[in-house]
Amino acid sequence: MITRAQLEAREAATLAPYAALSRDATREHPEPESDTRTAFQKDRDRVLHTTAFRRLEAKTQVFLSAAGDHYRTRLTHTLEVGQVARSVALTLGLNETLAETVALAHDLGHPPFGHAGERVLNALMQAHGGFNHNTQARRIVTELERPKSEYAGLNLTLDTLDGLNKHDRAGLSRPSLEAQLVDAADALAYTAHDLDDGLRSGLITPAQLCALPLWCELLEGAGLRGDTLTERERRTLHRRLLGTLIRDLTHASHAAIQASGVRTPEAARTFAGPLITYSPGIRERLRDTSAFLRENLYRHWRVEMQVEQATRVLTTLFDALTNRPSMLPPTFRARAQAGDLSRAVCDYLAGMTDRYALDAHSSTTPPATPTLWPR
């Protein structure tokens, strides 16, 4: 049997000097660590067993979860981010388990209906501190999920919690290299799979993509024309796109780390710039691709219809629940009575899946009055 002490010794012997080590991890609430798992392994397992993680299966990535069985959901996106993060971490000598843990937790705070739902909740909560899915992810793991009675939250290590401070880092140093890697893996994964889902759905066409330099290079490398694509050719190009981006991220990050001279995790956190990066050419191509997706997929009229639906559903539910808190489930009603009603309602709505939100909206909306046609 391999013990935790042996696993920690293996990390110290095999990981790069700038990698985070689980033996150095601490928690807000001290607790005995496992005999057979490192602190980061325990963090990962705790995230996997949360209700919030299971709900990601029925939350929007780009398309509503009911739109089709083969489109990415927030859960499959999370798993793809984890795969990329683990792969690159392993090659760079970073702590693969910490990178995976941050990846699995990074989107726990996403509400139903994807970024459209996030914008709606942020608008509704402007007078109460706003809403941000990264902040909500941290709120979930430190307060809302309560598997133990001794304290609120999962009592994750401070390394994992710091990795969830993706945007709001005022007064903080840079995140660990593992957390920087998850940030890059997130953008890499959604760029690749949103292109793939856009093509699969027909909302973007192969001919449109021929204007993108990155796509043209993929076509040339695969010996394809690209005006039309078969199912097999689309899958081939998606696989080549992932390979190209992961390879560039790995090599460019390795070069940046070596050039920086950092030799400890602390030095990486205080370095003047990010060390997980792409080559300048790929960065430019990714910016072009992101702009293309924003204009041609995320703002497509069919996707905009989903945005309108999200706005109506969440606004109606927010107003109904704040006006009649007795409709809140007991746990959220207790939180409302103990503190901020609007935040309790927001927490409840943010935790909903797409279909649960649609069902709740249907339950609180009177059926349409049938038209009485003259006889």
Side-chain angles (χ1 to χ4, degrees):
M1 182 179 75
I2 299 177
T3 66
R4 173 173 54 85
Q6 290 172 315
L7 292 172
E8 290 174 345
R10 183 186 297 174
E11 281 185 355
T14 60
L15 296 185
Y18 40 76
L21 297 178
S22 57
R23 72 182 182 190
D24 299 328
T26 58
R27 304 181 189 273
E28 180 182 358
H29 305 284
E31 64 176 58
E33 293 297 338
S34 167
D35 292 336
T36 56
R37 291 178 297 163
T38 67
F40 296 151
Q41 286 177 319
K42 199 155 75 168
D43 277 5
R44 178 197 59 200
D45 298 346
R46 287 180 175 180
V47 169
L48 279 170
H49 287 285
T50 59
T51 303
F53 185 80
R54 293 194 295 275
R55 287 176 179 157
L56 295 178
E57 180 270 334
K59 291 192 177 189
T60 296
Q61 176 60 28
V62 173
F63 301 97
L64 289 182
S65 61
D69 293 338
H70 296 154
Y71 299 122
R72 270 74 172 190
T73 65
R74 191 60 59 177
L75 177 60
T76 58
H77 163 71
T78 294
L79 295 176
E80 291 185 36
V81 174
Q83 179 271 315
V84 173
R86 289 197 317 272
S87 176
V88 179
L90 191 62
T91 306
L92 293 179
L94 298 176
N95 196 305
E96 181 184 0
T97 308
L98 176 59
E100 180 183 21
T101 303
V102 175
L104 293 176
H106 86 283
D107 266 358
L108 290 179
H110 256 292
F113 312 121
H115 287 288
E118 180 173 18
R119 289 193 295 271
V120 173
L121 287 182
N122 184 46
L124 291 168
M125 291 293 292
Q126 276 304 296
H128 305 275
F131 178 85
N132 173 279
H133 79 269
N134 293 298
T135 303
Q136 188 70 7
R138 188 179 173 105
R139 181 171 167 78
I140 285 169
V141 300
T142 59
E143 184 173 345
L144 300 181
E145 290 276 349
R146 299 194 174 198
K148 293 187 176 183
S149 59
E150 300 96 308
Y151 47 76
L154 305 179
N155 199 30
L156 302 179
T157 63
L158 301 186
D159 296 82
T160 297
L161 292 178
D162 185 62
L164 297 181
N165 288 322
K166 182 176 178 181
H167 298 306
D168 183 13
R169 300 197 62 82
L172 300 174
S173 61
R174 290 190 178 276
S176 64
L177 292 179
E178 288 81 1
Q180 291 183 41
L181 174 55
V182 172
D183 196 10
D186 184 24
L188 187 159
Y190 70 65
T191 297
H193 65 52
D194 287 358
L195 275 176
D196 189 50
D197 278 351
L199 285 169
R200 183 194 294 273
S201 69
L203 299 193
I204 56 178
T205 66
Q208 286 177 289
L209 287 172
C210 288
L212 286 173
L214 178 59
W215 192 254
C216 292
E217 291 167 9
L218 291 171
L219 288 171
E220 183 179 353
L224 298 173
R225 286 186 40 137
D227 310 3
T228 59
L229 293 174
T230 65
E231 178 80 1
R232 181 181 295 275
E233 288 169 343
R234 178 182 58 75
R235 291 181 178 180
T236 296
L237 289 169
H238 176 249
R239 186 170 63 250
R240 292 179 72 93
L241 175 59
L242 279 174
T244 297
L245 296 179
I246 292 173
R247 191 160 46 248
D248 186 88
L249 177 63
T250 304
H251 287 288
S253 298
H254 175 72
I257 292 169
Q258 295 305 306
S260 72
V262 301
R263 299 297 295 169
T264 65
E266 294 72 28
R269 289 174 179 269
T270 57
F271 190 73
L275 293 172
I276 302 298
T277 186
Y278 291 98
S279 66
I282 288 293
R283 273 203 304 273
E284 181 179 356
R285 283 160 174 71
L286 282 174
R287 282 195 295 269
D288 293 341
T289 304
S290 294
F292 173 89
L293 287 170
R294 185 168 56 253
E295 293 300 320
N296 295 280
L297 181 61
Y298 307 146
R299 294 177 181 168
H300 191 282
W301 67 270
R302 290 186 179 174
V303 176
E304 288 290 351
M305 291 178 70
Q306 295 180 181
V307 173
E308 177 62 20
Q309 184 179 35
T311 302
R312 290 174 183 268
V313 168
L314 292 177
T315 301
T316 300
L317 288 173
F318 186 87
D319 291 342
L321 291 166
T322 50
N323 288 324
R324 191 183 292 272
S326 58
M327 292 194 297
L328 286 168
T331 301
F332 292 93
R333 196 183 318 149
R335 289 177 188 152
Q337 292 168 347
D340 187 342
L341 169 61
S342 296
R343 183 59 63 184
V345 170
C346 182
D347 287 337
Y348 180 46
L349 295 179
M352 290 181 174
T353 62
D354 294 357
R355 57 176 171 257
Y356 189 88
L358 292 169
D359 288 346
H361 179 260
S362 177
S363 298
T364 58
T365 305
T369 304
T371 303
L372 299 178
W373 295 100
R375 297 187 180 214

